[in-house]
């Protein structure tokens, strides 16, 4: 008597395993992105958000004056590297779990994708991005004691000094704003990218099961990333909360709410959108790295680990 294979019930939700190869791919692409154009664009975005009277060229001059070419890479080592190498892993773990439970509760692919992305973004903020973005911003905005002939404290000295004075709250300053930014980022990026993909399919007469070309995928993701910069005011609030620039008019105990009011009161609506241009550029560069270089990186990771990469890039 032959054995009959037991089939999964129709419509059953399958939990996708999180593979080491997927984590390695995400970490590798993020590290490449931030070490090339990513950090210079991040520094420009942060400098403009912290110094809201500066235009693009005056911000570039300010950054150059702080260290020439190296000024554009302040905060890269170790904070941007720590963030880049860990945030993909955190996102993948949490997003995968959240997406599974939303699907099991009856959500469709679109809703579960957004739910997973938002949960992953929230976890990113509180697990690693809070203290990493805080320390990057400190590095980019702290007063240079060398101008007075004093010894400039190193990165780790600065970190330990903040920790001794303010504890965990000090090195995670602005983490709530980071969380709001990440949740809205992932939700809107996912949704807007899908809208852009549908538009491209409509124009090119491609069906839902036909793959988009690499240029089409870059365009869709870049549009999603660029349009999701609508939440730039949250990013400016985050930078202001973490900034070490000296301003006696700032609230003593800064929250997301009073920081928003302070920025609006001193710089208006325009101030709330300072740094949006380099942020859009950053979103496009991240997209190019993840999509255009994704296939090449995927092959390298599969050869190195012997595992098939299943993550989307």
């Amino acid at each position: 008597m032959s054995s009959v294979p037991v089939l999964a019930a129709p419509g059953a939700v399958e939990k996708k395993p999180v593979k080491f190869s997927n984590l390695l791919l995400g970490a590798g692409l993020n590290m490449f992105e931030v070490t090339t154009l990513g950090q210079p664009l991040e520094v420009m975005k942060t400098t403009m958000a912290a110094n809201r009277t500066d235009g693009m060229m005056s911000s570039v001059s300010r950054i150059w004056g702080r260290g020439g070419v190296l000024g554009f890479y302040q905060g890269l080592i170790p904070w941007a590297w720590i963030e880049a190498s860990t945030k993909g892993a955190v996102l993948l773990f949490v997003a995968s779990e959240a997406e599974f439970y939303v699907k099991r509760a009856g959500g469709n692919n679109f809703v579960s994708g957004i739910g997973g992305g938002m949960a992953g973004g929230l976890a990113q903020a509180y697990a690693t991005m809070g203290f990493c973005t805080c320390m990057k911003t400190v590095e980019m905005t702290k007063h240079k004691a060398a101008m007075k002939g004093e010894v400039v404290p190193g990165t780790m000295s600065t970190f330990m000094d903040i920790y001794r004075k303010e504890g965990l709250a000090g090195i995670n300053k602005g983490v709530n704003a980071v969380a709001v930014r990440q949740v809205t980022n992932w939700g809107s990026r996912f949704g807007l990218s899908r809208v852009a993909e549908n538009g491209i399919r409509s124009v090119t007469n491609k069906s839902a099961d036909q793959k988009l070309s690499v240029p089409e995928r870059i365009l869709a993701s870049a549009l999603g990333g660029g349009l999701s910069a609508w939440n730039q005011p949250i990013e400016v609030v985050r930078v202001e909360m973490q900034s070490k620039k000296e301003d006696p008019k700032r609230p003593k105990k800064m929250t997301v709410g009073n920081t928003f009011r302070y920025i609006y009161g001193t710089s208006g609506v325009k101030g709330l959108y300072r740094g949006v241009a380099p942020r859009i550029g950053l979103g496009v560069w991240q997209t190019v790295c993840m999509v255009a270089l994704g296939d090449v990186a995927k092959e390298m990771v599969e050869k190195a680990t012997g595992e098939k990469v299943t993550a989307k890039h």
Side-chain angles (χ1 to χ4, degrees):
M1 189 174 176
S2 60
S3 61
V4 179
V6 179
L7 300 176
V13 180
E14 184 184 350
K15 197 171 190 178
K16 296 176 184 176
V18 178
K19 296 182 177 181
F20 173 71
S21 56
N22 292 353
L23 303 182
L24 187 59
L25 177 66
L29 287 172
N30 274 299
M31 287 288 283
F32 176 83
E33 175 269 317
V34 76
T35 308
T36 50
L37 284 179
Q39 191 63 11
L41 288 167
E42 178 76 23
V43 172
M44 288 173 64
K45 176 189 74 172
T46 302
T47 302
M48 291 180 72
N51 303 280
R52 290 178 294 278
T53 56
D54 286 3
M56 182 75 79
M57 293 313 297
S58 53
S59 290
V60 169
S61 298
R62 183 189 290 271
I63 296 163
W64 185 267
R66 287 170 64 90
V69 173
L70 294 179
F72 289 89
Y73 286 90
Q74 281 182 323
L76 176 67
I77 303 171
W79 311 117
W81 276 4
I82 293 173
E83 182 184 335
S85 60
T86 58
K87 70 180 182 181
V90 173
L91 175 72
L92 196 58
F93 271 119
V94 178
S96 178
E97 288 290 311
E99 188 172 356
F100 168 74
Y101 286 111
V102 173
K103 276 186 178 178
R104 199 168 72 171
N108 59 27
N109 287 338
F110 185 75
V111 172
S112 59
I114 290 179
M118 290 173 73
L122 193 68
Q124 275 183 336
Y126 288 108
T128 59
M129 286 188 72
F131 77 88
C132 286
T133 57
C134 183
M135 291 310 302
K136 284 193 299 180
T137 306
V138 166
E139 286 294 304
M140 296 171 204
T141 59
K142 70 182 180 184
H143 177 67
K144 288 294 181 184
M147 292 177 181
K148 297 180 179 180
E150 301 170 18
V151 177
V152 180
T155 297
M156 293 311 298
S157 298
T158 303
F159 176 84
M160 291 308 299
D161 187 49
I162 295 171
Y163 181 74
R164 279 192 294 268
K165 289 178 181 176
E166 304 175 57
L168 288 173
I171 60 174
N172 276 287
K173 196 173 287 180
V175 70
N176 292 333
V178 175
V180 173
R181 187 197 73 179
Q182 287 304 100
V183 168
T184 53
N185 257 5
W186 281 103
S188 58
R189 269 196 183 197
F190 183 92
L192 292 167
S193 294
R194 291 298 173 271
V195 170
E197 283 180 11
N198 291 339
I200 290 169
R201 289 184 191 281
S202 177
V203 170
T204 57
N205 295 316
K206 286 186 176 177
S207 63
D209 56 350
Q210 281 182 288
K211 285 186 72 173
L212 296 179
S213 66
V214 169
E216 287 169 343
R217 285 162 60 200
I218 288 175
L219 177 60
S221 296
L223 285 170
L227 292 171
S228 66
W230 63 268
N231 67 358
Q232 180 65 9
I234 295 297
E235 176 68 355
V236 177
V237 167
R238 188 274 299 174
V239 170
E240 188 62 44
M241 290 178 75
Q242 296 174 340
S243 173
K244 282 293 179 184
K245 72 186 179 84
E246 297 169 5
D247 183 356
K249 296 178 183 176
R250 292 203 307 176
K252 296 293 181 199
K253 189 174 181 181
M254 302 183 81
T255 63
V256 172
N258 67 21
T259 305
F260 183 94
R261 289 192 293 272
Y262 161 72
I263 294 168
Y264 180 75
T266 56
S267 308
V269 174
K270 192 176 179 181
L272 289 166
Y273 280 89
R274 273 295 184 201
V276 72
R279 184 176 170 200
I280 290 171
L282 182 59
V284 172
W285 179 240
Q286 287 172 338
T287 296
V288 170
C289 288
M290 293 295 171
V291 177
L293 302 177
D295 289 329
V296 177
K298 186 176 175 180
E299 286 180 20
M300 291 173 66
V301 168
E302 286 179 342
K303 284 180 182 178
T305 63
E307 285 185 352
K308 184 172 177 60
V309 175
T310 55
K312 292 179 181 179
H313 54 266

